Structures are given as structure tokens and as C-alpha cells.
Amino acid sequence: MKFAFIIDPIQKLDPTHDTSVALMESAQAKGHEVWITEAHQLSVVNGKAWAILDRVTLKPIERAGDRWIAANPWHQIQPDGSHPLETMDVVFMRTDPPVTIPYLYATYILDYIDPEKTLVVNSPKGLRSANEKMYALQFTSVIPETIVSQSKAVIRDFLDQKGAAVLKPLGGKAGEGILFLDPEDKNFNSLIEISTKQGKEPVMVQTYLPEAKLGDKRIILLNGEPIGAVNRVPSGSEFRGNMAVGGLAVKTEITDRERQICTEVGPKLREDGLYFVGLDVIGGYLTEVNVTSPTGIREIDKYLPNDERLGHQVIDWVESFVKQR
């Protein structure tokens, strides 16, 4: 089959960390063609989605103890011009957040791929409907107490009630802009003014979960079912566990409570065409639903036996989905 990946510039990807590279490697290992493009290279011509596509050949990473080692160079590119995306069997939309206006425009272009010919992961409509912070709010039984507001008074009242809270920009990524709120902090007013852009943009505020110091677990869901997880433990005085801010990825298991969360969320993900998703769970509570470019595969693979690769499971599922359709 032909796999196209819409990614950020490949030169900026880290093959020892990026899930996009892990998925491309797995597709190649199973004998499929791997193509790449970028969001700004998409077009609609004669009512069909087109892209400037390059054929890519990867040299897979290798394990050295508890580390991944990448060749230099680790990929070769063969430009091939513009093609209708429906000539691909599968298109993975893997452009990193934030979800900007150009990102949204790219999803509108992807709407012009014939779904009878090409599977798009994740669904363009699903991507538009699933803000990674707001989407979790519909699962009230498994999330911590949460508000979304741009009102300083509303946020202040919530903080006074809870004693401590975490503020998250609705469009943030990789832990950017996440703040710990303390009722005694004399900077409270300034923090809210900056975060809400002087009351013009809402933010999410969740009650602080003390279990965060034990880790922020990333659970990978494939078609609504959990297939692996890694725990991201904050380092030093940092309260965020995101790997982008120094969180340490450690081996973990999926608990019964976390499987309950997956059971709660899975059917809605399938309904929205969100097939490859990363849930963030702290202390048995769902905190975010990552749909744009969820990562974690490389970190999970380190702890799998017999050189197993989570990406292979994803490609196996894609093959089965396409064949059944």
C-alpha cells in the first residue's frame, strides 16, 4: 500500500523520539511505500485534494541498551511532484500543534479526499471537533473538576474553592503555558491577564492533582482500544511531566481505572474518526485527549519485549481496516 504522512519538515524530526518516524518505519518494514508532504503543500484542484509528495526511504533506528541510535543520515528523499491524495491508500495527518488557522485550512483540504479510496488518520472533521483540552470535558465522570473561562473573577472563585489549580491554554502543546495557581500568589492577576490575553481568550483551569508528582501517564489508543502506555515523571522542581520540558519517560502498566477511562472515551473517538489518540491521565483522571500528533511510541517501545514495535500494531490495524472497507 501507499502511505502518505503530512508532517513538519523532516529535517526537524528526531528519529529517536518522534512517533511519526516510528510509524513510517513500521510501514516501510511491512513492505509499504512511504511518502511525505507538509501542510503548506496541500491544494484542491478540480474538486480533489492534491499534495506535493516526496518518496522517503528510512534507515531504521537501532536499540543500544535503553537508548535509540539513529544513522546519519537516517532518511533519503526522492521528490516526485504533485499527486491527488486519493492515489494513496492511507494519509496520516501528523502536523504538530498548535491548531492554527493554516492548520484548520489544511483539514478543510483533506475533506476533499475520497473516503472510499483513502483512509485519513485522524479524520479531518474529528480533528476540527476535538480541541485537545476541551474534548475531555464531555467525559465528566473521569476528569478532574474543571472550568473553562476568561473571567478573572470566575477563575479566582474556583481557585479559592480548590486551594490549588493548574491553568492550561486551550491551544497549547508540550506543556507550553501551563501554570500552577496558588491562592496566595501575589502574581495571580497578572498571570490570568497574560494567559487570557487581557480577558479575550478562555483558558482551562483544573483542580491540582497531587499525584502529578508521580507522573503524567500517556496512554496510546488505537481505534478506541489501549495498546500501550508510558509514564512521564517531572524532573527537579518542575511540576509538569511533559517530555518536552524534561519529564523522564519510565515504564508503566495500564491500571483497571485507566482501562475504565479508555472504555468511557473509546466509542466517542471511533464515532469521530479519531483512530490514533494519546490520553493523558494523572492519578486516575483524564486530563487531555491528544489527537493532532500524539507521541510516545518510541518511549513505550523501549520497554517492549523481543524488540516489538507499537508502530507495527498500528500498521497492522490500518491494513485490516483498508482491506475490510
Side-chain angles (χ1 to χ4, degrees), residues 54-74:
D54 296 336
R55 180 79 183 270
V56 62
T57 303
L58 306 159
K59 185 166 185 180
I61 61 170
E62 297 181 353
R63 192 192 304 238
D66 62 351
R67 296 186 304 121
W68 295 117
I69 303 296
N72 187 17
W74 56 272

Side-chain angles (χ1 to χ4, degrees), residues 7-296:
I7 56 175
D8 295 305
I10 193 169
Q11 299 83 359
K12 295 183 178 181
L13 300 187
D14 178 357
T16 68
H17 167 70
D18 279 292
T19 287
S20 295
V21 182
L23 294 172
M24 290 191 287
E25 280 186 12
S26 290
Q28 177 179 279
K30 289 181 170 292
H32 303 301
E33 295 181 12
V34 178
W35 302 73
I36 60 172
T37 188
E38 297 177 29
H40 69 89
Q41 295 175 314
L42 305 179
S43 306
V44 175
V45 179
N46 295 326
K48 295 183 178 182
W50 287 61
I52 298 172
L53 290 163
D54 296 336
R55 180 79 183 270
V56 62
T57 303
L58 306 159
K59 185 166 185 180
I61 61 170
E62 297 181 353
R63 192 192 304 238
D66 62 351
R67 296 186 304 121
W68 295 117
I69 303 296
N72 187 17
W74 56 272
H75 66 273
Q76 292 182 334
I77 301 295
Q78 181 181 339
D80 204 71
S82 188
H83 300 271
L85 280 171
E86 67 181 38
T87 61
M88 300 286 119
D89 296 285
V90 187
V91 172
F92 274 88
M93 177 54 165
R94 293 283 307 172
T95 300
D96 281 347
V99 177
T100 58
I101 295 299
Y103 182 100
L104 288 174
Y105 289 162
T107 69
Y108 290 131
I109 293 175
L110 296 180
D111 283 336
Y112 288 88
I113 296 175
D114 186 345
E116 295 299 317
K117 296 181 178 179
T118 305
L119 170 66
V120 181
V121 182
N122 284 313
S123 156
K125 183 178 179 180
L127 290 173
R128 291 193 296 271
S129 69
N131 174 275
E132 298 189 325
K133 306 297 189 298
M134 295 290 293
Y135 194 81
L137 293 179
Q138 61 195 297
F139 308 107
T140 54
S141 65
V142 297
I143 63 171
E145 293 184 74
T146 303
I147 64 169
V148 175
S149 180
Q150 54 203 10
S151 166
K152 191 184 299 181
V154 170
I155 296 170
R156 177 82 246 185
D157 183 60
F158 182 83
L159 180 59
D160 287 341
Q161 290 181 42
K162 305 307 171 188
V166 174
L167 180 152
K168 301 178 179 180
L170 294 182
K173 65 180 179 68
E176 294 174 358
I178 295 180
L179 301 172
F180 177 81
L181 298 181
D182 183 333
E184 304 301 321
D185 191 343
K186 291 180 172 45
N187 294 308
F188 171 81
N189 287 336
S190 291
L191 292 175
I192 302 306
E193 289 161 5
I194 293 169
S195 297
T196 65
K197 295 181 173 55
Q198 301 295 327
K200 294 185 177 69
E201 289 187 10
V203 294
M204 172 177 279
V205 183
Q206 294 180 325
T207 185
Y208 173 66
L209 300 171
E211 296 89 346
K213 63 175 67 77
L214 303 177
D216 180 351
K217 191 175 291 188
R218 165 61 53 84
I219 303 174
I220 299 296
L221 269 64
L222 178 62
N223 197 31
E225 300 291 338
I227 60 172
V230 65
N231 199 28
R232 300 164 299 176
V233 180
S235 59
S237 60
E238 176 63 70
F239 80 96
R240 299 169 297 176
N242 306 74
M243 289 179 285
V245 295
L248 179 65
V250 300
K251 185 177 181 180
T252 191
E253 302 293 334
I254 302 175
T255 68
D256 290 342
R257 165 64 174 175
E258 289 158 354
R259 291 189 183 278
Q260 177 189 349
I261 293 172
C262 295
T263 299
E264 181 81 13
V265 177
K268 180 60 175 172
L269 295 177
R270 286 190 289 269
E271 178 185 329
D272 290 340
L274 299 170
Y275 302 116
F276 186 75
V277 172
L279 302 187
D280 289 347
V281 178
I282 297 175
Y285 288 96
L286 174 67
T287 59
E288 292 185 25
V289 181
N290 297 271
V291 301
T292 52
S293 183
T295 191

